[in-house]
Amino acid sequence: VYKGQEVRTLVPAQIVRIYSASKRVYVRTAGDCFEVRERLYTLEEQLKDWGFVRISNSEIVNMGQIEKLDMSYTGTIRMYMKNGDETYVSRRYVKKIKEELV
């Protein structure tokens, strides 16, 4: 991962979520945000055995970093992460998330 010109190595357990925004891919940890030069689908494939799951077209999360879920009446799920981030599961991925949680 990259922070400016600095390059760091992260252990998958440190990662809370990975998302794309403005044609870039970002990695969030408990205390920082980094940029990564891999595509989201590549990271999803590399991290699937580490408990990461896709929750939308633009985001994957570490299932071990989920604090709680809020099921709304609109069919989406709001995820509260242990680092304080909030994110949403798109309706397209709700069934997959429910299967992963069981």
Side-chain angles (χ1 to χ4, degrees):
V1 295
Y2 299 89
K3 181 92 174 181
Q5 298 295 339
E6 185 179 336
V7 178
R8 294 187 188 176
T9 302
L10 295 178
V11 177
Q14 294 176 289
I15 300 169
V16 175
R17 63 191 189 106
I18 304 169
Y19 61 96
S20 63
S22 304
K23 297 185 180 182
R24 296 178 185 252
V25 178
Y26 299 96
V27 174
R28 287 278 296 168
T29 63
D32 217 341
C33 185
F34 303 95
E35 190 174 334
V36 65
R37 295 185 179 148
E38 296 285 333
R39 299 245 185 224
L40 197 60
Y41 68 86
T42 304
L43 293 169
E44 178 185 18
E45 188 64 31
Q46 292 172 354
L47 295 169
K48 68 181 179 183
D49 294 335
W50 291 89
F52 286 78
V53 65
R54 185 177 287 268
I55 62 166
S56 70
N57 285 338
S58 61
E59 187 168 3
I60 59 176
V61 298
N62 183 343
M63 296 291 282
Q65 293 288 331
I66 299 171
E67 185 174 316
K68 66 180 180 177
L69 302 173
D70 179 20
M71 310 291 239
S72 81
Y73 61 91
T74 61
T76 61
I77 299 173
R78 182 188 303 181
M79 285 187 168
Y80 295 91
M81 308 306 286
K82 290 181 180 177
N83 71 338
D85 285 0
E86 292 179 21
T87 189
Y88 292 88
V89 178
S90 71
R91 284 184 281 191
R92 181 178 178 183
Y93 290 91
V94 167
K95 182 179 178 183
K96 182 178 179 180
I97 293 300
K98 287 181 178 179
E99 290 171 356
E100 290 288 331
L101 292 171
V102 173

XYZ file of all heavy atoms in Angstrom:
846
model
N 0.841 -1.181 0.000
C 0.000 0.000 0.000
C 0.879 1.235 0.000
O 2.038 1.178 0.380
C -0.975 0.019 1.207
C -1.972 -1.113 1.137
C -0.248 0.011 2.519
N 0.300 2.336 -0.395
C 1.053 3.582 -0.531
C 0.409 4.693 0.278
O -0.806 4.812 0.331
C 1.092 4.020 -1.994
C 1.755 3.023 -2.888
C 1.028 2.002 -3.478
C 3.117 3.085 -3.134
C 1.637 1.067 -4.296
C 3.739 2.163 -3.951
C 2.988 1.144 -4.531
O 3.599 0.232 -5.331
N 1.249 5.492 0.913
C 0.830 6.719 1.590
C 1.792 7.789 1.114
O 2.928 7.873 1.592
C 0.898 6.537 3.109
C 0.468 7.732 3.896
C -0.997 7.626 4.209
C -1.380 8.761 5.138
N -2.760 8.690 5.474
N 1.380 8.552 0.117
C 2.298 9.495 -0.521
C 3.379 8.719 -1.249
O 3.095 7.859 -2.062
N 4.635 8.986 -0.921
C 5.756 8.265 -1.520
C 6.167 7.050 -0.695
O 7.015 6.270 -1.104
C 6.962 9.210 -1.681
C 6.704 10.376 -2.582
C 6.443 9.962 -4.026
O 6.818 8.874 -4.453
N 5.791 10.824 -4.780
N 5.578 6.897 0.473
C 5.926 5.812 1.386
C 5.182 4.526 1.003
O 4.005 4.554 0.686
C 5.521 6.228 2.803
C 5.914 5.258 3.881
C 5.489 5.763 5.250
O 5.325 6.985 5.434
O 5.313 4.910 6.122
N 5.909 3.416 1.051
C 5.325 2.114 0.746
C 5.300 1.293 2.033
O 6.297 1.237 2.750
C 6.148 1.361 -0.328
C 5.559 0.000 -0.603
C 6.232 2.178 -1.603
N 4.162 0.679 2.322
C 4.023 -0.142 3.527
C 3.453 -1.502 3.173
O 2.791 -1.669 2.159
C 3.074 0.509 4.532
C 3.586 1.792 5.111
C 2.672 2.255 6.200
N 3.047 3.584 6.643
C 2.378 4.274 7.542
N 1.301 3.760 8.092
N 2.782 5.465 7.892
N 3.684 -2.456 4.051
C 3.103 -3.782 3.917
C 2.088 -3.958 5.037
O 2.386 -3.667 6.191
C 4.191 -4.871 4.035
O 5.166 -4.640 3.020
C 3.600 -6.243 3.864
N 0.902 -4.433 4.685
C -0.140 -4.675 5.683
C -0.459 -6.159 5.765
O -0.412 -6.870 4.769
C -1.432 -3.931 5.312
C -1.403 -2.420 5.295
C -2.761 -1.891 4.862
C -1.026 -1.859 6.649
N -0.798 -6.592 6.954
C -1.310 -7.937 7.174
C -2.818 -7.865 6.921
O -3.466 -6.892 7.340
C -1.020 -8.389 8.623
C -1.599 -9.746 8.908
C 0.469 -8.359 8.882
N -3.426 -8.852 6.255
C -4.860 -8.777 5.974
C -5.736 -8.504 7.200
O -6.742 -7.812 7.088
C -5.175 -10.146 5.369
C -3.897 -10.533 4.703
C -2.817 -10.020 5.620
N -5.350 -8.981 8.367
C -6.157 -8.757 9.575
C -6.218 -7.279 9.956
O -7.152 -6.859 10.643
C -5.594 -9.571 10.734
N -5.268 -6.472 9.503
C -5.257 -5.037 9.798
C -6.267 -4.266 8.945
O -6.672 -3.169 9.302
C -3.871 -4.438 9.518
C -2.771 -4.920 10.412
C -1.444 -4.333 9.971
O -0.919 -4.704 8.928
N -0.914 -3.416 10.757
N -6.659 -4.836 7.839
C -7.521 -4.146 6.880
C -8.979 -4.230 7.325
O -9.478 -5.306 7.636
C -7.360 -4.749 5.473
C -5.914 -4.610 5.012
C -8.319 -4.086 4.490
C -5.589 -5.392 3.751
N -9.641 -3.089 7.353
C -11.063 -3.035 7.693
C -11.904 -3.165 6.425
O -12.817 -3.979 6.357
C -11.406 -1.728 8.431
C -12.896 -1.609 8.671
C -10.635 -1.644 9.737
N -11.576 -2.342 5.431
C -12.315 -2.396 4.177
C -11.463 -1.862 3.042
O -10.489 -1.134 3.268
C -13.628 -1.628 4.274
C -13.494 -0.161 4.517
C -14.847 0.474 4.867
N -14.759 1.921 4.903
C -15.247 2.736 3.983
N -15.884 2.240 2.949
N -15.121 4.036 4.098
N -11.836 -2.228 1.833
C -11.161 -1.776 0.627
C -12.246 -1.268 -0.308
O -13.235 -1.959 -0.544
C -10.374 -2.924 -0.042
C -9.380 -3.541 0.950
C -9.671 -2.432 -1.297
C -8.758 -4.830 0.468
N -12.064 -0.064 -0.828
C -13.108 0.512 -1.672
C -12.504 1.334 -2.797
O -11.353 1.762 -2.734
C -14.055 1.385 -0.836
C -13.377 2.555 -0.173
C -13.390 3.810 -0.767
C -12.711 2.419 1.039
C -12.765 4.891 -0.170
C -12.091 3.493 1.647
C -12.121 4.727 1.035
O -11.489 5.792 1.622
N -13.294 1.540 -3.824
C -12.847 2.385 -4.928
C -13.638 3.687 -4.921
O -14.824 3.712 -4.604
C -13.016 1.663 -6.271
O -14.373 1.398 -6.518
N -12.940 4.756 -5.240
C -13.535 6.082 -5.341
C -12.666 6.913 -6.278
O -11.436 6.839 -6.195
C -13.620 6.744 -3.971
N -13.290 7.647 -7.155
C -12.555 8.518 -8.100
C -11.507 7.740 -8.886
O -10.363 8.195 -9.033
C -11.901 9.683 -7.361
O -12.850 10.412 -6.638
N -11.865 6.565 -9.347
C -10.995 5.710 -10.165
C -9.716 5.270 -9.450
O -8.728 4.931 -10.080
C -10.659 6.386 -11.485
C -11.875 6.637 -12.349
C -11.488 7.201 -13.682
C -12.729 7.440 -14.526
N -12.404 7.942 -15.842
N -9.733 5.277 -8.131
C -8.604 4.803 -7.326
C -9.123 3.796 -6.311
O -10.293 3.807 -5.962
C -7.924 5.956 -6.607
C -7.299 6.952 -7.549
C -6.680 8.103 -6.801
N -6.189 9.098 -7.727
C -4.908 9.306 -7.956
N -3.997 8.619 -7.340
N -4.539 10.238 -8.817
N -8.235 2.947 -5.805
C -8.609 1.948 -4.810
C -7.904 2.291 -3.503
O -6.696 2.538 -3.485
C -8.250 0.519 -5.282
C -8.601 -0.507 -4.221
C -8.960 0.196 -6.596
N -8.683 2.299 -2.412
C -8.177 2.681 -1.099
C -8.357 1.534 -0.107
O -9.330 0.787 -0.181
C -8.917 3.920 -0.578
C -8.733 5.117 -1.460
C -9.673 5.440 -2.426
C -7.602 5.923 -1.335
C -9.494 6.547 -3.250
C -7.423 7.033 -2.157
C -8.379 7.331 -3.115
O -8.195 8.418 -3.922
N -7.425 1.452 0.827
C -7.459 0.460 1.899
C -7.583 1.216 3.215
O -6.766 2.088 3.503
C -6.175 -0.403 1.908
C -6.150 -1.326 3.104
C -6.054 -1.189 0.618
N -8.612 0.879 4.008
C -8.806 1.496 5.323
C -8.390 0.509 6.400
O -8.786 -0.656 6.371
C -10.269 1.868 5.548
C -10.741 3.043 4.761
C -10.396 4.350 5.362
N -11.069 4.495 6.650
C -10.782 5.425 7.515
N -9.833 6.286 7.274
N -11.419 5.508 8.648
N -7.580 0.995 7.339
C -7.227 0.223 8.526
C -7.906 0.894 9.712
O -8.664 1.852 9.537
C -5.703 0.193 8.733
O -5.239 1.523 8.953
C -4.988 -0.430 7.537
N -7.608 0.442 10.909
C -8.220 1.033 12.103
C -7.876 2.505 12.244
O -8.682 3.285 12.738
C -7.792 0.268 13.347
N -6.703 2.926 11.785
C -6.315 4.303 12.016
C -5.862 5.092 10.809
O -5.500 6.253 10.935
N -5.874 4.511 9.620
C -5.319 5.214 8.476
C -5.974 4.765 7.173
O -6.688 3.770 7.133
C -3.812 4.972 8.395
C -3.038 6.201 7.936
O -3.650 7.109 7.342
O -1.824 6.243 8.179
N -5.698 5.511 6.127
C -6.196 5.195 4.792
C -5.011 5.206 3.829
O -4.173 6.108 3.880
C -7.237 6.221 4.360
S -8.018 5.829 2.789
N -4.935 4.202 2.977
C -3.832 4.049 2.041
C -4.381 3.860 0.637
O -5.514 3.427 0.463
C -2.980 2.825 2.392
C -2.424 2.852 3.774
C -3.080 2.218 4.810
C -1.237 3.507 4.041
C -2.568 2.232 6.099
C -0.708 3.527 5.326
C -1.382 2.891 6.353
N -3.557 4.123 -0.341
C -3.919 3.852 -1.722
C -3.215 2.573 -2.156
O -2.106 2.274 -1.701
C -3.494 5.013 -2.623
C -4.035 4.908 -4.017
C -3.725 6.132 -4.854
O -3.544 7.224 -4.302
O -3.666 5.974 -6.080
N -3.863 1.830 -3.014
C -3.265 0.601 -3.534
C -3.419 0.627 -5.051
O -4.379 1.207 -5.577
C -3.917 -0.650 -2.884
C -5.363 -0.783 -3.258
C -3.168 -1.908 -3.217
N -2.490 0.018 -5.742
C -2.483 0.076 -7.205
C -3.068 -1.171 -7.849
O -2.983 -1.335 -9.063
C -1.073 0.338 -7.705
C -0.599 1.702 -7.267
C 0.729 2.077 -7.830
N 1.074 3.425 -7.363
C 2.289 3.827 -7.135
N 3.306 3.024 -7.337
N 2.511 5.054 -6.710
N -3.671 -2.022 -7.064
C -4.333 -3.221 -7.585
C -5.787 -2.899 -7.898
O -6.364 -1.977 -7.339
C -4.293 -4.345 -6.549
C -2.915 -4.848 -6.206
C -2.325 -5.718 -7.279
O -3.077 -6.360 -8.035
O -1.090 -5.745 -7.386
N -6.389 -3.680 -8.727
C -7.817 -3.558 -9.002
C -8.596 -4.223 -7.872
O -8.115 -5.152 -7.226
C -8.165 -4.234 -10.318
C -7.456 -3.626 -11.493
C -8.459 -3.001 -12.391
N -7.833 -2.501 -13.594
C -8.134 -1.332 -14.092
N -9.012 -0.576 -13.502
N -7.555 -0.916 -15.184
N -9.812 -3.761 -7.657
C -10.635 -4.284 -6.568
C -10.916 -5.770 -6.743
O -10.837 -6.544 -5.787
C -11.941 -3.486 -6.489
C -12.730 -3.610 -5.211
C -11.925 -3.154 -4.000
C -14.018 -2.811 -5.297
N -11.220 -6.203 -7.946
C -11.522 -7.621 -8.168
C -10.301 -8.500 -7.917
O -10.424 -9.641 -7.467
C -12.126 -7.869 -9.556
C -11.184 -7.633 -10.717
C -10.328 -8.637 -11.165
C -11.165 -6.423 -11.390
C -9.473 -8.431 -12.234
C -10.319 -6.202 -12.461
C -9.473 -7.211 -12.879
O -8.628 -7.009 -13.939
N -9.100 -7.984 -8.179
C -7.871 -8.735 -7.901
C -7.678 -8.898 -6.399
O -7.353 -9.988 -5.919
C -6.651 -8.009 -8.502
O -6.869 -7.813 -9.893
C -5.381 -8.805 -8.287
N -7.893 -7.817 -5.649
C -7.769 -7.882 -4.189
C -8.827 -8.798 -3.592
O -8.545 -9.543 -2.649
C -7.881 -6.480 -3.594
C -6.735 -5.546 -3.942
C -7.070 -4.123 -3.545
C -5.447 -6.004 -3.283
N -10.031 -8.766 -4.144
C -11.089 -9.648 -3.658
C -10.671 -11.116 -3.796
O -10.840 -11.907 -2.872
C -12.380 -9.396 -4.441
C -13.513 -10.306 -4.029
C -14.749 -10.141 -4.897
O -14.646 -9.585 -6.009
O -15.818 -10.569 -4.448
N -10.117 -11.456 -4.911
C -9.671 -12.834 -5.155
C -8.527 -13.222 -4.217
O -8.499 -14.307 -3.667
C -9.240 -12.986 -6.621
C -8.934 -14.392 -7.030
C -10.134 -15.327 -6.968
O -11.263 -14.878 -7.180
O -9.921 -16.524 -6.685
N -7.582 -12.309 -4.010
C -6.441 -12.589 -3.141
C -6.838 -12.723 -1.671
O -6.207 -13.452 -0.921
C -5.398 -11.475 -3.264
C -4.715 -11.422 -4.593
C -3.829 -10.194 -4.749
O -3.799 -9.307 -3.899
N -3.100 -10.134 -5.860
N -7.877 -12.015 -1.249
C -8.229 -11.946 0.171
C -9.451 -12.778 0.563
O -9.843 -12.772 1.726
C -8.460 -10.480 0.569
C -7.234 -9.587 0.486
C -7.626 -8.125 0.635
C -6.201 -9.988 1.524
N -10.061 -13.495 -0.374
C -11.286 -14.224 -0.045
C -11.069 -15.284 1.033
O -11.958 -15.535 1.837
C -11.919 -14.838 -1.291
C -11.136 -15.952 -1.916
C -11.835 -16.478 -3.146
C -11.002 -17.586 -3.769
N -11.603 -18.072 -4.995
N -9.893 -15.873 1.094
C -9.604 -16.871 2.128
C -9.302 -16.237 3.487
O -9.155 -16.935 4.477
C -8.427 -17.756 1.702
C -8.776 -18.619 0.495
O -9.972 -18.899 0.291
O -7.851 -18.997 -0.248
N -9.198 -14.927 3.542
C -8.928 -14.195 4.779
C -10.195 -13.604 5.382
O -10.137 -12.784 6.292
C -7.914 -13.081 4.527
C -6.542 -13.598 4.230
C -6.031 -13.923 3.018
C -5.517 -13.864 5.179
N -4.742 -14.364 3.148
C -4.404 -14.341 4.478
C -5.428 -13.740 6.563
C -3.221 -14.696 5.096
C -4.239 -14.088 7.184
C -3.156 -14.562 6.448
N -11.363 -13.956 4.853
C -12.623 -13.481 5.405
C -13.124 -12.180 4.816
O -13.940 -11.498 5.426
N -12.669 -11.851 3.622
C -13.143 -10.647 2.949
C -14.273 -11.008 1.993
O -14.243 -12.056 1.355
C -12.016 -9.975 2.166
C -11.036 -9.259 3.042
C -10.060 -9.963 3.743
C -11.095 -7.888 3.194
C -9.159 -9.316 4.558
C -10.189 -7.225 4.009
C -9.224 -7.944 4.692
N -15.267 -10.145 1.915
C -16.412 -10.390 1.048
C -16.842 -9.080 0.394
O -16.732 -8.009 0.993
C -17.575 -11.032 1.850
C -18.111 -10.101 2.909
C -18.674 -11.520 0.938
N -17.306 -9.184 -0.836
C -17.773 -8.003 -1.567
C -19.163 -7.617 -1.072
O -20.036 -8.462 -0.918
C -17.804 -8.274 -3.069
C -18.173 -7.037 -3.879
C -18.125 -7.323 -5.373
N -16.769 -7.442 -5.869
C -16.061 -6.429 -6.375
N -16.586 -5.225 -6.414
N -14.849 -6.627 -6.828
N -19.346 -6.308 -0.828
C -20.653 -5.839 -0.375
C -21.304 -4.890 -1.385
O -22.477 -4.553 -1.243
C -20.576 -5.148 1.002
C -19.690 -3.909 0.959
C -20.110 -6.134 2.057
C -19.831 -3.016 2.173
N -20.546 -4.474 -2.393
C -21.083 -3.646 -3.466
C -20.101 -3.713 -4.629
O -19.035 -4.308 -4.510
C -21.282 -2.199 -3.015
O -20.041 -1.569 -2.823
N -20.453 -3.083 -5.723
C -19.543 -3.080 -6.871
C -18.244 -2.355 -6.575
O -17.245 -2.576 -7.242
C -20.211 -2.431 -8.085
C -21.230 -3.341 -8.720
O -21.182 -4.556 -8.543
N -22.164 -2.764 -9.451
N -18.247 -1.506 -5.552
C -17.065 -0.692 -5.288
C -16.416 -0.946 -3.926
O -15.555 -0.176 -3.510
C -17.432 0.792 -5.393
O -18.421 1.102 -4.432
N -16.807 -2.045 -3.242
C -16.250 -2.241 -1.899
C -16.232 -3.703 -1.467
O -17.155 -4.453 -1.742
C -17.068 -1.432 -0.892
C -16.499 -1.430 0.489
C -17.161 -0.384 1.372
O -18.091 0.299 0.934
O -16.720 -0.261 2.524
N -15.150 -4.065 -0.763
C -15.077 -5.347 -0.056
C -14.713 -5.047 1.398
O -14.056 -4.048 1.681
C -14.066 -6.339 -0.699
C -12.653 -5.775 -0.728
C -14.501 -6.734 -2.086
C -11.623 -6.735 -1.267
N -15.181 -5.900 2.306
C -14.934 -5.677 3.728
C -14.373 -6.935 4.374
O -14.574 -8.037 3.908
C -16.205 -5.234 4.497
C -16.734 -3.922 3.975
C -17.264 -6.304 4.460
N -13.690 -6.714 5.478
C -13.177 -7.797 6.313
C -14.303 -8.181 7.266
O -14.702 -7.386 8.114
C -11.953 -7.313 7.078
C -11.311 -8.379 7.915
O -11.900 -9.409 8.206
N -10.080 -8.125 8.318
N -14.831 -9.391 7.146
C -15.957 -9.825 7.972
C -15.608 -9.806 9.460
O -16.471 -9.610 10.299
C -16.415 -11.228 7.556
C -16.959 -11.304 6.142
S -18.527 -10.464 5.923
C -19.621 -11.670 6.631
N -14.352 -9.971 9.790
C -13.918 -9.935 11.182
C -13.886 -8.535 11.774
O -13.722 -8.377 12.978
N -14.050 -7.523 10.952
C -14.015 -6.137 11.412
C -15.407 -5.508 11.516
O -15.527 -4.322 11.786
C -13.148 -5.293 10.474
C -11.691 -5.641 10.496
C -11.017 -5.204 11.787
O -11.409 -4.240 12.425
N -9.995 -5.935 12.189
N -16.453 -6.305 11.319
C -17.816 -5.786 11.422
C -18.217 -5.748 12.888
O -18.112 -6.746 13.599
C -18.805 -6.660 10.628
C -18.439 -6.663 9.146
C -20.242 -6.166 10.839
C -19.223 -7.663 8.321
N -18.674 -4.585 13.346
C -19.128 -4.439 14.724
C -20.596 -4.798 14.848
O -20.992 -5.556 15.720
C -18.906 -3.012 15.208
C -19.238 -2.828 16.673
C -18.872 -1.439 17.157
O -17.770 -0.972 16.817
O -19.693 -0.847 17.864
N -21.430 -4.227 13.975
C -22.859 -4.556 13.995
C -23.478 -4.228 12.650
O -22.899 -3.508 11.835
C -23.582 -3.815 15.115
C -23.640 -2.319 14.970
C -24.384 -1.682 16.130
C -24.417 -0.164 15.957
N -25.186 0.476 17.010
N -24.677 -4.759 12.436
C -25.426 -4.542 11.208
C -26.763 -3.913 11.535
O -27.368 -4.224 12.564
C -25.673 -5.874 10.486
C -24.456 -6.689 10.108
C -24.886 -8.043 9.569
C -23.624 -5.965 9.078
N -27.234 -3.054 10.648
C -28.549 -2.442 10.798
C -29.338 -2.778 9.541
O -29.012 -2.315 8.456
C -28.402 -0.931 10.962
C -29.734 -0.224 11.110
O -30.732 -0.872 11.461
O -29.762 0.998 10.866
N -30.370 -3.598 9.702
C -31.213 -3.985 8.581
C -32.295 -2.914 8.404
O -33.061 -2.662 9.312
C -31.883 -5.322 8.838
C -30.929 -6.394 9.285
S -29.847 -6.868 7.990
C -30.244 -8.579 7.872
N -32.326 -2.289 7.247
C -33.325 -1.248 7.023
C -34.496 -1.808 6.233
O -34.425 -2.887 5.658
C -32.703 -0.074 6.278
O -32.644 -0.344 4.902
N -35.534 -1.051 6.204
C -36.733 -1.478 5.494
C -36.605 -1.328 3.979
O -37.414 -1.856 3.235
C -37.944 -0.687 5.988
C -37.838 0.792 5.755
C -38.318 1.357 4.581
C -37.249 1.626 6.694
C -38.200 2.722 4.351
C -37.142 2.981 6.480
C -37.626 3.521 5.308
O -37.515 4.858 5.095
N -35.590 -0.641 3.497
C -35.427 -0.447 2.056
C -34.713 -1.612 1.386
O -34.531 -1.602 0.179
C -34.636 0.844 1.764
O -33.341 0.735 2.341
C -35.359 2.063 2.288
N -34.289 -2.573 2.153
C -33.620 -3.737 1.576
C -32.115 -3.678 1.626
O -31.441 -4.589 1.167
N -31.555 -2.606 2.159
C -30.106 -2.515 2.286
C -29.697 -2.827 3.727
O -30.514 -2.838 4.628
C -29.585 -1.109 1.915
O -30.166 -0.163 2.799
C -29.921 -0.759 0.485
N -28.426 -3.067 3.913
C -27.878 -3.320 5.240
C -26.804 -2.268 5.496
O -25.914 -2.071 4.668
C -27.247 -4.720 5.338
C -28.292 -5.801 5.081
C -26.585 -4.919 6.695
C -27.710 -7.208 5.002
N -26.888 -1.605 6.625
C -25.833 -0.670 7.032
C -24.862 -1.435 7.912
O -25.262 -2.087 8.873
C -26.393 0.507 7.805
C -25.291 1.504 8.180
C -25.746 2.592 9.091
N -26.867 3.332 8.510
C -27.442 4.364 9.095
N -27.044 4.778 10.277
N -28.442 4.987 8.510
N -23.580 -1.361 7.589
C -22.539 -2.016 8.375
C -21.791 -0.975 9.190
O -21.378 0.049 8.662
C -21.523 -2.722 7.476
C -21.991 -3.975 6.882
S -20.616 -4.771 6.020
C -21.351 -6.351 5.745
N -21.640 -1.270 10.471
C -20.815 -0.454 11.352
C -19.534 -1.243 11.584
O -19.569 -2.363 12.085
C -21.522 -0.198 12.672
C -22.777 0.625 12.529
C -24.007 0.023 12.325
C -22.729 2.011 12.608
C -25.166 0.772 12.192
C -23.873 2.776 12.473
C -25.092 2.145 12.266
O -26.229 2.899 12.131
N -18.414 -0.639 11.219
C -17.132 -1.314 11.335
C -16.481 -0.960 12.669
O -16.789 0.062 13.282
C -16.224 -0.916 10.172
C -16.862 -1.074 8.789
S -17.535 -2.715 8.443
C -16.032 -3.624 8.188
N -15.565 -1.801 13.122
C -14.902 -1.604 14.416
C -14.078 -0.320 14.475
O -13.853 0.205 15.557
C -14.029 -2.813 14.749
C -14.845 -4.052 15.066
C -13.964 -5.229 15.403
C -14.811 -6.459 15.712
N -13.983 -7.631 15.972
N -13.640 0.198 13.343
C -12.854 1.434 13.343
C -13.740 2.680 13.316
O -13.240 3.792 13.254
C -11.883 1.463 12.163
C -12.573 1.659 10.833
O -13.762 1.393 10.679
N -11.820 2.107 9.854
N -15.066 2.512 13.330
C -15.979 3.636 13.325
C -16.575 3.960 11.965
O -17.493 4.775 11.872
N -16.084 3.351 10.915
C -16.641 3.577 9.577
C -18.039 2.982 9.473
O -18.344 1.978 10.116
C -15.774 2.923 8.496
C -14.487 3.674 8.217
O -14.253 4.715 8.852
O -13.708 3.198 7.371
N -18.861 3.601 8.655
C -20.168 3.054 8.302
C -20.182 2.870 6.798
O -19.699 3.713 6.060
C -21.296 4.015 8.670
C -21.499 4.198 10.129
C -22.629 5.186 10.422
O -23.485 5.409 9.546
O -22.617 5.738 11.515
N -20.742 1.758 6.354
C -20.845 1.492 4.927
C -22.125 0.726 4.670
O -22.767 0.261 5.613
C -19.595 0.749 4.418
O -19.636 0.688 2.996
C -19.480 -0.638 5.007
N -22.502 0.588 3.427
C -23.766 -0.054 3.081
C -23.556 -1.233 2.149
O -22.727 -1.185 1.246
C -24.697 0.949 2.395
C -25.164 2.036 3.326
C -24.418 3.191 3.496
C -26.336 1.892 4.045
C -24.831 4.190 4.352
C -26.765 2.886 4.905
C -26.007 4.031 5.059
O -26.421 5.007 5.922
N -24.337 -2.267 2.378
C -24.374 -3.413 1.484
C -25.435 -3.104 0.446
O -26.580 -2.793 0.795
C -24.753 -4.705 2.244
C -24.833 -5.882 1.290
C -23.770 -4.978 3.369
N -25.076 -3.168 -0.815
C -26.075 -2.898 -1.846
C -27.071 -4.056 -1.894
O -26.768 -5.181 -1.507
C -25.413 -2.697 -3.209
O -24.904 -3.915 -3.698
N -28.269 -3.771 -2.351
C -29.317 -4.803 -2.390
C -28.882 -6.019 -3.189
O -29.273 -7.138 -2.879
C -30.606 -4.217 -2.974
C -31.324 -3.354 -1.971
C -32.611 -2.875 -2.533
N -32.295 -1.748 -3.421
C -33.182 -0.948 -3.936
N -34.447 -1.124 -3.699
N -32.808 0.055 -4.709
N -28.075 -5.803 -4.183
C -27.592 -6.898 -5.025
C -26.766 -7.912 -4.226
O -26.725 -9.092 -4.558
C -26.754 -6.304 -6.146
C -26.207 -7.275 -7.107
C -25.451 -6.535 -8.187
N -24.858 -7.459 -9.123
C -24.104 -7.106 -10.116
N -23.846 -5.834 -10.327
N -23.590 -7.987 -10.924
N -26.095 -7.464 -3.167
C -25.211 -8.335 -2.394
C -25.782 -8.757 -1.036
O -25.113 -9.458 -0.280
C -23.852 -7.644 -2.192
C -23.062 -7.539 -3.470
C -23.170 -6.420 -4.287
C -22.219 -8.557 -3.881
C -22.462 -6.319 -5.475
C -21.504 -8.476 -5.052
C -21.633 -7.351 -5.843
O -20.920 -7.264 -7.018
N -26.995 -8.356 -0.708
C -27.590 -8.681 0.585
C -27.675 -10.189 0.797
O -27.310 -10.704 1.855
C -28.977 -8.007 0.747
C -29.739 -8.584 1.933
C -28.810 -6.514 0.905
N -28.144 -10.918 -0.196
C -28.276 -12.371 -0.069
C -26.911 -13.017 0.205
O -26.787 -13.890 1.079
C -28.897 -12.961 -1.326
C -29.114 -14.446 -1.256
C -29.757 -14.971 -2.519
C -29.906 -16.483 -2.431
N -30.455 -17.059 -3.659
N -25.896 -12.574 -0.497
C -24.551 -13.128 -0.314
C -24.044 -12.870 1.099
O -23.459 -13.754 1.726
C -23.606 -12.502 -1.349
C -22.204 -13.045 -1.284
C -21.342 -12.420 -2.359
C -19.923 -12.957 -2.273
N -19.052 -12.389 -3.273
N -24.264 -11.679 1.618
C -23.817 -11.334 2.972
C -24.555 -12.191 3.998
O -23.943 -12.704 4.944
C -24.041 -9.839 3.258
C -23.122 -8.992 2.370
C -23.810 -9.515 4.736
C -21.647 -9.256 2.566
N -25.843 -12.369 3.828
C -26.612 -13.194 4.753
C -26.097 -14.620 4.768
O -25.997 -15.242 5.810
C -28.090 -13.159 4.403
C -28.756 -11.840 4.763
C -30.242 -11.854 4.412
C -30.893 -10.557 4.815
N -32.331 -10.526 4.463
N -25.742 -15.143 3.602
C -25.172 -16.497 3.503
C -23.822 -16.576 4.216
O -23.518 -17.560 4.872
C -25.027 -16.917 2.049
C -26.348 -17.169 1.358
C -26.197 -17.373 -0.149
O -25.066 -17.245 -0.678
O -27.224 -17.636 -0.796
N -23.010 -15.546 4.076
C -21.689 -15.517 4.720
C -21.805 -15.446 6.241
O -20.965 -15.969 6.965
C -20.871 -14.328 4.224
C -20.407 -14.437 2.791
C -19.307 -15.462 2.599
O -18.522 -15.708 3.534
O -19.244 -16.020 1.487
N -22.838 -14.779 6.728
C -23.001 -14.602 8.169
C -23.548 -15.841 8.868
O -23.383 -15.988 10.062
C -23.919 -13.411 8.460
C -23.325 -12.049 8.094
C -24.372 -10.972 8.220
C -22.115 -11.732 8.956
N -24.167 -16.729 8.130
C -24.755 -17.925 8.754
C -23.753 -19.014 8.933
O -22.717 -19.127 8.564
C -25.936 -18.457 7.893
C -26.441 -19.761 8.427
C -27.011 -17.416 7.845
